[in-house]
Amino acid sequence: DWSSDVCSSDLFEIHVYPVRHVPCFAQAAERELADLATLLRRVLRRLKHTIGDAPSNWVFDSAVAREQESPLLHWRLRICPVLAVPGGFELSAGIPINPSLPEEDARALRSAAP
């Protein structure tokens, strides 16, 4: 089982987490990876329907070897579409400005055809 959510930190950024507590991506079971592939197809179709063929960065946040047994860590996949060019304030302050409301982004993704 997998969970996906739209994050409020960036324009249409999507986070995907396994429901089972797993600190490290390498510890995912074969069946979980197959289910992840199915979920990603649905998520990416919705994203493409909503924002088109925008480039994106995929970031796997996963525990390192010495932390693989940590009860505090949970790996995730972040899909970060590249939809805006940082401006002067963002570059100088290091603070991103989200030009849309995350709630509206999430609503658009949820209503997109899967």
Side-chain angles (χ1 to χ4, degrees):
D1 290 344
W2 295 89
S3 174
S4 63
D5 196 10
V6 177
C7 176
S8 62
S9 65
D10 209 350
L11 192 59
F12 284 97
E13 183 172 322
I14 298 170
H15 292 197
V16 179
Y17 300 86
V19 171
R20 181 175 70 96
H21 178 77
V22 185
C24 179
F25 177 74
Q27 295 171 325
E30 190 173 319
R31 180 69 212 157
E32 290 172 321
L33 295 176
D35 290 344
L36 174 61
T38 301
L39 174 67
L40 285 176
R41 280 192 291 274
R42 287 195 334 251
V43 167
L44 294 175
R45 275 191 219 115
R46 287 175 186 254
L47 195 57
K48 183 177 180 177
H49 180 81
T50 305
I51 65 171
D53 282 325
S56 62
N57 293 302
W58 289 33
V59 181
F60 284 88
D61 295 317
S62 182
V64 295
R66 68 180 181 277
E67 297 174 331
Q68 288 185 7
E69 301 304 319
S70 173
L72 304 176
L73 299 176
H74 204 121
W75 78 266
R76 67 180 171 178
L77 165 61
R78 291 184 288 145
I79 302 171
C80 309
V82 180
L83 299 174
V85 176
F89 175 82
E90 294 159 305
L91 293 172
S92 64
I95 301 171
I97 297 174
N98 190 343
S100 66
L101 293 174
E103 298 84 0
E104 291 176 6
D105 295 350
R107 193 171 12 267
L109 287 169
R110 287 185 187 108
S111 67

